[in-house]
Amino acid sequence: MQFTISVKGNAGANAANRNTKNNAASYKVLKSQNIMVGRDIDQGYYDIKALDSEAEFFGDKMHENAVLHARPFYLNVKMSIKGKIEFKPSEFEKAGKKIKKSS
């Protein structure tokens, strides 16, 4: 099966906009259901946390309190979840050089 995902605008989930300021994601807690991005959750980058022991995300079982970081969600993508799952907008920090001080 082949499919194409396209994102228009500058507030979507794409590498050029992977920062906290441009992340269009919004906080939600959802229970078992079929989800469509743009209808049930906003597109953007999310940290996904399992809030119970029944949680499944894209068919993968998650342990309670397990977190998947910085997952991109594109407009009109459909998925199924089970259990209670928290969708929290990801936060990003610029990586900087570590300077090793000599003694």
Side-chain angles (χ1 to χ4, degrees), residues 6-17:
S6 64
V7 178
K8 294 184 179 181
N10 62 0
N14 63 51
N17 294 312

Side-chain angles (χ1 to χ4, degrees), residues 26-83:
S26 58
Y27 182 86
K28 287 224 176 170
V29 174
L30 300 173
K31 293 185 179 180
S32 299
Q33 63 182 286
N34 293 318
I35 296 171
M36 187 168 100
V37 179
R39 181 188 69 200
D40 302 303
I41 62 171
D42 295 322
Q43 69 178 355
Y45 286 89
Y46 288 90
D47 294 338
I48 296 132
K49 182 177 181 180
L51 298 179
D52 63 23
S53 60
E54 303 297 317
E56 284 186 26
F57 178 70
F58 273 105
D60 292 329
K61 179 88 171 130
M62 293 178 69
H63 295 284
E64 188 170 357
N65 294 317
V67 179
L68 302 172
H69 293 282
R71 299 296 173 145
F73 287 88
Y74 300 100
L75 195 59
N76 297 322
V77 170
K78 296 176 184 176
M79 70 192 92
S80 177
I81 64 168
K82 289 185 182 176

Side-chain angles (χ1 to χ4, degrees), residues 87-103:
F87 291 82
K88 180 181 172 189
S90 297
E91 295 181 9
F92 300 94
E93 295 178 16
K94 280 194 171 198
K97 284 187 176 181
K98 285 190 175 185
I99 300 172
K100 188 176 180 180
K101 293 182 180 180
S102 57
S103 354

